[in-house]
Amino acid sequence: MADPAVTEGERIVVTGSRIARQNVDTAAPVAVVDSEEFSLSGTVNIENVINTLPQVVPGFTSNSNNPGNGTATVDLRGLGAARTMVLVNGRRWMFYDTAQQVDLNTIPQFLLETVDVVTGGASAVYGSDALAGVVNFNLRHVDGVELGGQYSITDEWDADRYQVHGAIGTEFGDGRGRATVYAEYFNRESLFQGERGFSEFALSELPANFGPPLQQGGSSTLPSGVLRYLGGASGTATLPAGTEFGNAGAVGFGTGVVFDDVAGDFRRRAGDAYNYAPVNYLQVPQERYLLGGMAEYEIADGHEVYTEVSFVNNRVAGELASTPVTGNFNVNLAAVQPFLIAGDFAQLQSIDANETVANAAFNAAMADQDPDTPGVQFTPVTDDPGVVNFFVQRRVTETGARNSLDERNAFRVVGGIRGDITDYINYDAYYMYARTRNSQIQAGNISRSAFQAGLDGSAPAINIFGADTLTPTMVNQISILAQNSDISELSVATGFLSGTFGDAAIGNAAPIGFALGAEYRKVSSQFVPDTALSSGDVIGFNAGQSTQGSYDVKEFFGELDIPILDTDSGMTLDINLAGRYSDYSLEAIGGVWTYAGGIEFAPIPDVKFRAQYQRAVRAPNVGELFGGRAIGFPTVSDPCADANNVNDATIIALCEGTGVPVGSTGDPDLQPNAQTPAIFGGNGNLFEETSDSWTVGVVIQPTSVPGLSLTVDYFNIEIENAIANFGGGLNNTLNLCYNVVQDLSSIYCQAINGSRVNGAITTANPPLIISSNVAALQVSGIDLQLNYSTDVPFSLFTSNGASDLSFAFLGTWTETNDTFPVAGFDTVIECAGRFGTTCNNPTPSFKWTNRLSWVDGPMTVSTRWRHLSAVDDDDDNTDYTAFNGIERIKAYDLIDLTLSYDFNEALTFSVGVNNLFDTLPDTPTFDANGVVQGRPNSLLLGDNQEQANTYPSTYDVLGRDFFASVLVRF
């Protein structure tokens, strides 16, 4: 973390503006991270440093498996990765999918010079997407040859990572040009959750799931198989007496049998669970090849052409537990009889016979209804003797784990020309094209139609009635290999003039600066699933429909930097203004304005006050606009399955009005799994999001304390018309329907109505939750950055007896982080200082990282302290501590240590350890029933976790981690 240096008379362009200036301070807060932070932290993948910055809430990382997609993203202020603009050398970078987000894995870490983080909207300067701010990665040219490598491994001697890289740079054409070419290979080995004690078992504590208290949980879909009876295909029947499914007259998800050690022999289900955790990745494997180059050449005095080229091949695997087949299936009793013991087969025959009686009685009772009269239409139930419809749950472990392999090939090319028009005005014009193609191959999927055919007698019968009962032939019969691909393209043509109006100035102040330009930008993306995925016949990975679309935008922009005051005493006053007009090809947006204004005032040279206001926009991305309908499984809490509502007349009426059987409200079995299906997709009527951001701060660089600089900035960002899933998502839609609006005719209840099967929301007809401009977001807080360096009169390696001591601190206090899922309702999700199933990743009120380094000639010793304050669970209606769970994750601290030595100007060797004290979630101990004994530390969670019984993108899951690196220059 450092401040960039500017030599006397030099003018540079600072992130957040296109106007070259001598003063590196701007009205907008800019935090700068230098390349040393990456080398001292032993970081090969960029997200490992970016996510430690206090302005960032971790997005997907190398520890994100489910959810996760093999990419690494940056999310400023927790406002979403789509609202953070990522630049490289001040220009847009390539994105990887229809969400138009940047994968940080595509940026060459070893060439980084600085990373600039700008707070607040920056659309007036850079265009759409910069609502939360901008992260600009500045790459450096190389002079000579650089070869390097790094190896990392944990103290468990696993989770290996290694990288080799090289770069060659030289001047040519008698110094008129220079070029740098580079290459990198990176490999990250896999680590499974079963290889760490804290993540070996999926933990659960809530009564609605597998608790209380905190114990080994998992999934109710077992490798041995589960059958539940929901009333048959017509839903009109109940259980007869004498079956192990449940009591006579019972029906629904509370019924059920499981198969044990003896294939074909079932018993009453009694809370059985499958532990899916061990086979999930804790560290996702990755292999990356990266090639690229940068060059510039002065074709005439003051005129220079330049280019950038980069190519990345990135392969990332994902692995989940074996496919859980769930849903209603017709079972032909004759076809499956050979797989069942006689007594249990007789029970199924009894259920079938009872259905015949129930169907006949139902038809007789409804026979006098007029089929032509609306409201009393009646279609007779057709009985199907010898066939029973069961809700089947079968974990198909015979196929092995579900595997996906994502291979992304991305390239980007930039060509431009820049130079001076006059002594006061210069120009810059470039064209950029980027394209990413991702191919995903999925193994371990099951064909729903083939599975059904194997049960209903229309194909050779399959044996799902016990563990490991499917033969290889049966597995081949029902398995399906699926694949999909997506292609994303970005084209940008930009040209602008910048400089001053000659020597025109106000008094003794510097000349007035300006920038004026135009930009054309086109984005296009498509997602192409194969026939199996698009038809919905796949069970395992989520099915989805194709997505394809594009739009373009024509823009004009300008900036003014107006120095008003510059006295001999050092008092200065500057005003800056920026504006941009954007004309989108999307009818719902059309033309929009963004603008900004800022002020800087220094009463004395040591102190500068600054403030800025920005209006920014984000146009919907291709996925939000044109995304095909696809099923997803968010974690929700269904009020109809909440035992606390068993006596609430209003909620009971709403639940029964939306498909819950009479008398079943409050039954936890109405929600077989916390991950509940819904259909998600795009909306072509979306319009732009808008944000208003304010920042006010002070920069202090006291001449009386050389080497000290301090910046303090308050920020407030509000986003309106934020694009989110209808109703704020499935969980909030359920909350609005049953707890807030409480009106059966409301759009929120109608979204649920018709999606329940015997009261439960299943894959048979999931609710439709599509993208809408419904939400509002607000974040506010204070950033503090402190840098101090000084000489100390002690040395081991220098002749003058002195060495350097430096301290860098970067911290954030988050005052608010609020989401209004549906604007206009009082419902607000307050996430500052909280975590959980609604807020997701923890957002600590205080987050900081600081580094203390001692440089003694060729040797550097450095330590880093990373801190997160305590966070509280976001569910005010559930006390997890009552079930031996966690309501509050305590303050979290990590200490890292690095030693680096320059043997000479050509060779640097570094070693280090991250998470020096091996701070991890505790490994639980269990009794004979799988119940957790005692209370492990607060990092170990149950039902309010994200994955691996914690939040692995926020809290370290590898443990003490060693690295060694070498860099050779010649």
Side-chain angles (χ1 to χ4, degrees):
M1 288 163 278
D3 295 320
V6 181
T7 59
E8 184 70 26
E10 181 186 5
R11 301 181 69 85
I12 66 170
V13 176
V14 180
T15 301
S17 174
R18 296 183 188 272
I19 301 175
R21 64 188 74 200
Q22 285 185 300
N23 185 357
V24 299
D25 291 328
T26 66
V30 181
V32 181
V33 181
D34 62 23
S35 60
E36 187 179 34
E37 184 63 27
F38 290 84
S39 59
L40 291 176
S41 61
T43 293
V44 173
N45 276 7
I46 286 175
E47 80 268 14
N48 295 334
V49 165
I50 295 300
N51 285 336
T52 67
L53 300 179
Q55 301 96 327
V56 174
V57 173
F60 287 150
T61 68
S62 59
N63 306 114
S64 301
N65 184 58
N66 185 27
N69 58 10
T71 65
T73 55
V74 57
D75 178 3
L76 285 179
R77 310 296 181 189
L79 292 172
R83 300 182 180 96
T84 299
M85 177 174 284
V86 175
L87 306 175
V88 174
N89 292 337
R91 291 179 282 271
R92 290 178 183 257
W93 195 244
M94 47 194 161
F95 48 80
Y96 68 86
D97 69 353
T98 59
Q100 297 169 210
Q101 297 177 23
V102 170
D103 181 5
L104 300 182
N105 289 313
T106 59
I107 301 173
Q109 161 269 334
F110 55 92
L111 283 181
L112 285 177
E113 186 170 39
T114 61
V115 180
D116 304 334
V117 181
V118 180
T119 292
S123 291
V125 177
Y126 296 114
S128 175
D129 300 339
L131 269 67
V134 174
V135 181
N136 183 27
F137 296 88
N138 297 296
L139 305 183
R140 62 184 174 87
H141 275 278
V142 171
D143 184 13
V145 178
E146 290 187 5
L147 298 174
Q150 178 169 305
Y151 181 73
S152 302
I153 192 169
T154 74
D155 68 354
E156 298 287 340
W157 302 106
D158 56 17
D160 307 43
R161 286 136 287 149
Y162 55 91
Q163 176 215 41
V164 291
H165 63 83
I168 302 175
T170 185
E171 292 187 347
F172 61 92
D174 296 327
R176 298 175 69 89
R178 62 175 177 171
T180 296
V181 295
Y182 55 86
E184 178 211 43
Y185 174 77
F186 172 70
N187 189 290
R188 182 174 65 211
E189 298 294 330
S190 64
L191 181 71
F192 288 93
Q193 291 184 25
E195 297 179 76
R196 291 291 185 269
F198 66 84
S199 56
E200 184 178 4
F201 294 93
L203 300 181
S204 176
E205 73 269 62
L206 294 182
N209 295 326
F210 294 94
L214 186 67
Q215 59 186 278
Q216 295 174 10
S219 168
S220 63
T221 302
L222 309 178
S224 58
V226 178
L227 299 179
R228 301 177 192 260
Y229 187 65
L230 307 184
S234 65
T236 61
T238 59
L239 286 172
T243 76
E244 294 174 88
F245 282 80
N247 297 326
V251 69
F253 283 94
T255 67
V257 294
V258 300
F259 296 84
D260 276 330
D261 297 332
V262 179
D265 184 6
F266 58 66
R267 62 165 171 82
R268 183 83 168 90
R269 182 181 178 273
D272 303 79
Y274 166 72
N275 180 29
Y276 53 77
V279 297
N280 279 261
Y281 284 133
L282 193 60
Q283 176 173 279
V284 177
Q286 178 187 15
E287 187 176 32
R288 179 175 70 228
Y289 296 87
L290 190 152
L291 299 168
M294 303 176 288
E296 52 197 43
Y297 182 75
E298 188 178 29
I299 57 176
D301 289 344
H303 301 278
E304 181 180 76
V305 294
Y306 60 91
T307 186
E308 297 175 2
V309 179
S310 56
F311 171 80
V312 183
N313 174 266
N314 196 37
R315 283 175 275 187
V316 182
E319 185 156 327
L320 306 176
S322 300
T323 292
V325 175
T326 63
N328 292 284
F329 291 91
N330 292 322
V331 179
N332 185 300
L333 300 187
V336 303
Q337 182 177 6
F339 308 136
L340 298 166
I341 66 171
D344 288 352
F345 181 72
Q347 292 185 42
L348 302 190
Q349 288 180 307
S350 175
I351 293 173
D352 180 45
N354 195 62
E355 271 191 16
T356 298
V357 173
N359 290 338
F362 177 79
N363 288 340
M366 299 294 291
D368 60 347
Q369 301 296 317
D370 182 358
D372 298 322
T373 304
V376 292
Q377 291 184 3
F378 168 62
T379 301
V381 173
T382 301
D383 191 52
D384 193 1
V387 176
V388 180
N389 184 274
F390 288 107
F391 188 85
V392 175
Q393 294 176 262
R394 176 58 151 81
R395 180 80 56 172
V396 190
T397 53
E398 293 91 340
T399 64
R402 282 172 286 171
N403 292 285
S404 66
L405 176 63
D406 285 274
E407 181 169 4
R408 292 187 176 90
N409 290 295
F411 75 89
R412 172 181 179 267
V413 59
V414 176
I417 184 170
R418 59 194 170 207
D420 299 327
I421 297 177
T422 69
D423 291 340
Y424 302 103
I425 299 174
N426 56 68
Y427 69 94
D428 191 344
Y430 67 88
Y431 174 76
M432 187 207 82
Y433 175 76
R435 185 178 190 269
T436 302
R437 181 187 179 96
N438 178 57
S439 176
Q440 183 186 68
I441 300 175
Q442 303 172 353
N445 285 314
I446 300 298
S447 165
R448 182 176 293 276
S449 60
F451 194 88
Q452 173 63 86
L455 293 176
D456 65 16
S458 60
I462 59 173
N463 183 4
I464 63 169
F465 309 105
D468 297 319
T469 53
L470 288 166
T471 66
T473 300
M474 294 176 183
V475 169
N476 290 334
Q477 176 182 330
I478 62 175
S479 296
I480 185 170
L481 186 69
Q483 59 183 356
N484 59 60
S485 64
D486 50 75
I487 300 173
S488 300
E489 295 178 293
L490 171 64
S491 299
V492 180
T494 301
F496 64 92
L497 304 175
S498 66
T500 65
F501 299 100
D503 294 323
I506 301 175
N508 293 326
I512 297 172
F514 77 93
L516 183 66
E519 180 168 298
Y520 172 81
R521 190 168 64 253
K522 181 177 181 179
V523 296
S524 62
S525 191
Q526 59 178 315
F527 167 71
V528 184
D530 66 9
T531 303
L533 285 166
S534 60
S535 68
D537 192 41
V538 165
I539 308 174
F541 290 93
N542 293 344
Q545 296 179 349
S546 62
T547 299
Q548 183 170 355
S550 66
Y551 63 85
D552 60 34
V553 56
K554 304 176 184 69
E555 300 178 312
F556 300 93
F557 57 86
E559 291 181 66
L560 283 175
D561 180 36
I562 309 173
I564 294 178
L565 186 66
D566 190 348
T567 67
D568 293 339
S569 64
M571 179 183 294
T572 62
L573 175 64
D574 281 26
I575 292 177
N576 58 74
L577 303 170
R580 177 180 290 248
Y581 178 76
S582 304
D583 183 16
Y584 285 87
S585 62
L586 299 167
E587 290 185 11
I589 299 178
V592 293
W593 282 96
T594 55
Y595 40 87
I599 186 171
E600 300 172 79
F601 173 63
I604 58 175
D606 296 8
V607 179
K608 176 176 288 187
F609 297 98
R610 60 189 181 188
Q612 186 173 60
Y613 164 77
Q614 297 228 28
R615 162 59 66 95
V617 301
R618 182 181 80 89
N621 58 52
V622 171
E624 292 165 335
L625 286 165
F626 311 112
R629 304 283 169 85
I631 192 169
F633 293 85
T635 299
V636 306
S637 178
D638 187 350
C640 296
D642 187 346
N644 294 321
N645 296 329
V646 69
N647 295 316
D648 190 313
T650 301
I651 293 179
I652 290 173
L654 289 167
C655 289
E656 293 178 356
T658 53
V660 173
V662 175
S664 296
T665 299
D667 183 356
D669 286 321
L670 290 178
Q671 189 174 8
N673 292 296
Q675 291 182 313
T676 302
I679 299 295
F680 302 91
N683 180 356
N685 295 318
L686 293 174
F687 50 92
E688 75 279 4
E689 299 178 339
T690 60
S691 78
D692 295 291
S693 59
W694 297 85
T695 59
V696 179
V698 60
V699 181
I700 302 174
Q701 295 176 306
T703 54
S704 59
V705 187
L708 174 65
S709 67
L710 171 68
T711 64
V712 182
D713 291 283
Y714 172 80
F715 62 88
N716 186 302
I717 305 172
E718 297 181 6
I719 299 176
E720 296 180 347
N721 302 317
I723 298 169
N725 290 321
F726 171 82
L730 178 59
N731 191 53
N732 197 66
T733 299
L734 291 167
N735 180 61
L736 288 172
C737 170
Y738 298 104
N739 298 323
V740 180
V741 179
Q742 296 189 325
D743 181 353
L744 187 61
S745 64
S746 72
I747 57 175
Y748 309 106
C749 289
Q750 289 304 304
I752 307 301
N753 195 18
S755 64
R756 295 184 181 273
V757 176
N758 286 92
I761 299 173
T762 72
T763 55
N765 187 30
L768 181 62
I769 309 292
I770 63 172
S771 298
S772 305
N773 290 95
V774 294
L777 309 171
Q778 181 178 11
V779 296
S780 63
I782 294 176
D783 289 333
L784 186 149
Q785 183 167 4
L786 172 67
N787 292 283
Y788 179 67
S789 61
T790 186
D791 295 336
V792 292
F794 172 79
S795 175
L796 298 175
F797 297 99
T798 64
S799 58
N800 61 5
S803 55
D804 298 319
L805 186 69
S806 63
F807 175 79
F809 177 93
L810 187 60
T812 293
W813 169 60
T814 299
E815 176 187 32
T816 60
N817 187 311
D818 295 344
T819 298
F820 299 84
V822 181
F825 286 93
D826 293 335
T827 301
V828 56
I829 301 170
E830 298 177 344
C831 291
R834 309 187 87 180
F835 76 99
T837 56
T838 301
C839 292
N840 299 313
N841 271 315
T843 305
S845 296
F846 294 92
K847 179 180 179 181
W848 69 67
T849 179
N850 63 55
R851 181 174 291 282
L852 180 66
S853 298
W854 177 48
V855 181
D856 184 15
M859 183 185 71
T860 299
V861 179
S862 183
T863 182
R864 180 175 61 168
W865 173 22
R866 294 177 275 164
H867 172 81
L868 306 177
S869 62
V871 287
D872 297 312
D873 180 76
D874 57 24
D875 185 355
D876 296 331
N877 298 318
T878 302
D879 181 7
Y880 284 88
T881 60
F883 314 118
N884 199 25
I886 286 295
E887 279 287 307
R888 183 178 180 84
I889 300 176
K890 295 181 180 179
Y892 176 78
D893 297 278
L894 294 181
I895 302 296
D896 311 319
L897 187 63
T898 303
L899 171 65
S900 179
Y901 192 86
D902 296 326
F903 288 91
N904 50 50
E905 292 185 356
L907 177 63
T908 299
F909 183 72
S910 302
V911 293
V913 55
N914 291 320
N915 194 354
L916 178 64
F917 298 109
D918 200 28
T919 302
L920 285 169
D922 282 347
T923 297
T925 57
F926 304 97
D927 66 12
N929 297 316
V931 175
V932 174
Q933 301 298 288
R935 176 56 249 178
N937 67 14
S938 63
L939 295 175
L940 188 78
L941 306 172
D943 287 309
N944 52 355
Q945 64 173 292
E946 182 202 39
Q947 54 185 303
N949 299 322
T950 189
Y951 285 85
S953 294
T954 301
Y955 302 111
D956 182 52
V957 292
L958 296 183
R960 188 179 293 114
D961 192 34
F962 302 99
F963 69 88
S965 67
V966 62
L967 179 63
V968 180
R969 313 172 193 86
F970 53 88

